[in-house]
Amino acid sequence: MIVDSAIYRDGSRVEADGDCRELRIRACEPGDFVWVGLSDPTQEEIAEVADVFDLHPLAVEDAVKAHQRPKLERYEHMFFLVLKTLWYVDEQDAVETGEISIFAGHDFVVTVRHGQGNELHSARTQLESSPKVLRHGPGGVLYSVLDRVVDGYLAVADELVIDVDEIESSVFSTDRTNDSERIYTLKREIAEVRRAVLPLREPLQRFVSGTVAGVHQEAAPFFRDVADHLARVAETVDSLDALLSTAFDAHVAQISVQQNNDMRKISAGAAIIVVPTLIAGIYGMNFDHMPELGWTYGYPFALILMGIVAGGLWAFFKKSGWL
């Protein structure tokens, strides 16, 4: 459905009633443009907008189906940009994704949003309070949306940093922990972030270099700022992925060390039990001519011998770190 639509003239919003066709007719002065925002539209809902602004059918199909890779495509009188939106659910260590598709021409911008994250109403409100940016026309809208989306990437990256720090503390703690499942979950979520971030670098570079028709060269510094933030997110994602791989290797090594310690303790315990058992086995054979069988103190002597040997083995294993 259409969430909001308005005409913008000389950096300000012009209140006007009517459907998209009437708004485009009224945007008749030089520099005027129309911004139409849609959220999870059906094929029928977007068809009317596509007819008014002569949107390319292939781009319309991508915008309706969603689940597209971030990309920038140029058509005759417009360009089409796809962005992935990200937000973090801390309780599940999960990165949720949405999508924003942007159609932009010299006198219009149509944004199509899918998913619950990164609503664009606040971006529109913030942009309307910045006439200097809004005077750049559709390029200003594009910058505002990109800035909001990439800021969302930064927030997700910050949350992932916290989780990876927790994993590192857990892996190298003295407690027995099972971190492999959480490490795998975080690596999968980092891969989700990478699928949103890395493909966006090339389109942003085109905006920075001013090679996209319809976006003024004067807007390049704004896009350069967004590109810097995106590069920071990409570097953070790469470093987190490497840290998780190292943490997983360390976790496996810790498990191996713990198993070796367990085996040493089991072996030491078995040795302490085996020697008294050996003594008891010898004196339980009941031969007629065995030493000490007729001795009055033979029984307590055997018990004391067992205790001394077991205690000696315990002290030896304790000193050597096996117990």
Side-chain angles (χ1 to χ4, degrees):
M1 66 177 190
I2 295 179
V3 178
D4 197 1
S5 58
I7 299 172
Y8 293 89
R9 177 176 297 151
D10 193 29
S12 300
R13 177 172 179 145
V14 178
E15 295 297 338
D17 297 327
D19 58 18
C20 296
R21 192 177 301 277
E22 292 178 356
L23 290 178
R24 194 173 193 193
I25 293 173
R26 295 181 184 181
C28 54
E29 297 187 15
D32 286 2
F33 70 95
V34 178
W35 181 2
V36 178
L38 299 95
S39 177
D40 296 301
T42 63
Q43 183 68 51
E44 293 74 18
E45 289 171 337
I46 201 172
E48 180 182 353
V49 177
D51 181 61
V52 171
F53 297 101
D54 192 23
L55 305 181
H56 197 280
L58 292 178
V60 172
E61 182 181 354
D62 288 345
V64 173
K65 290 184 177 180
H67 305 295
Q68 302 296 314
R69 184 176 184 271
K71 60 182 179 179
L72 175 63
E73 295 181 348
R74 179 70 193 175
Y75 296 97
E76 293 180 3
H77 66 288
M78 53 161 275
F79 61 84
F80 175 62
L81 177 66
V82 177
L83 308 170
K84 288 287 187 183
T85 59
L86 303 175
W87 66 98
Y88 194 71
V89 181
D90 190 50
E91 296 79 9
Q92 304 171 6
D93 286 340
V95 177
E96 299 293 338
T97 62
E99 189 170 306
I100 296 176
S101 300
I102 304 174
F103 303 86
H106 74 282
D107 63 346
F108 71 90
V109 178
V110 177
T111 54
V112 181
R113 181 172 64 87
H114 294 274
Q116 300 301 315
N118 289 90
E119 50 81 27
L120 296 179
H121 176 72
S122 56
R124 185 189 289 259
T125 302
Q126 182 179 2
L127 186 60
E128 289 173 354
S129 65
S130 304
K132 181 180 178 180
V133 178
L134 200 52
R135 286 192 186 98
H136 287 285
V141 175
L142 187 64
Y143 156 74
S144 180
V145 174
L146 277 167
D147 187 54
R148 178 58 58 91
V149 169
V150 174
D151 282 348
Y153 295 170
L154 287 169
V156 169
D158 289 342
E159 293 291 340
L160 289 172
V161 168
I162 294 173
D163 286 343
V164 171
D165 287 343
E166 292 174 354
I167 286 288
E168 289 183 313
S169 299
S170 178
V171 165
F172 293 105
S173 70
T174 56
D175 300 330
R176 286 179 175 265
T177 58
N178 184 16
D179 299 305
S180 56
E181 182 177 352
R182 192 181 184 196
I183 290 173
Y184 172 78
T185 298
L186 286 175
K187 283 185 73 69
R188 185 182 60 192
E189 302 311 316
I190 285 175
E192 192 72 39
V193 176
R194 183 180 279 112
R195 283 193 290 270
V197 172
L198 299 189
L200 189 57
R201 292 188 295 185
E202 189 272 335
L204 255 179
Q205 192 57 44
R206 290 170 62 183
F207 288 120
V208 171
S209 61
T211 59
V212 180
V215 178
H216 300 302
Q217 183 65 39
E218 294 80 6
F222 296 100
F223 291 106
R224 190 178 302 116
D225 179 67
V226 178
D228 288 342
H229 290 171
L230 188 70
R232 197 175 96 192
V233 175
E235 291 171 359
T236 300
V237 168
D238 288 340
S239 64
L240 290 179
D241 190 54
L243 283 173
L244 282 176
S245 296
T246 304
F248 182 75
D249 292 339
H251 177 62
V252 172
Q254 289 280 77
I255 292 176
S256 179
V257 169
Q258 290 170 358
Q259 289 176 339
N260 289 336
N261 287 335
D262 292 341
M263 288 303 299
R264 287 193 301 178
K265 291 178 181 179
I266 293 172
S267 300
I272 292 174
I273 298 298
V274 163
V275 174
T277 303
L278 175 63
I279 297 173
I282 291 173
Y283 281 94
M285 290 188 291
N286 297 322
F287 289 110
D288 291 335
H289 301 289
M290 288 185 64
E292 289 87 31
L293 285 180
W295 185 30
T296 304
Y297 302 105
Y299 178 69
F301 171 76
L303 293 179
I304 292 171
L305 179 62
M306 292 179 191
I308 291 173
V309 173
L313 288 173
W314 181 87
F316 173 74
F317 289 133
K318 190 72 174 177
K319 183 178 180 181
S320 62
W322 280 43
L323 285 176

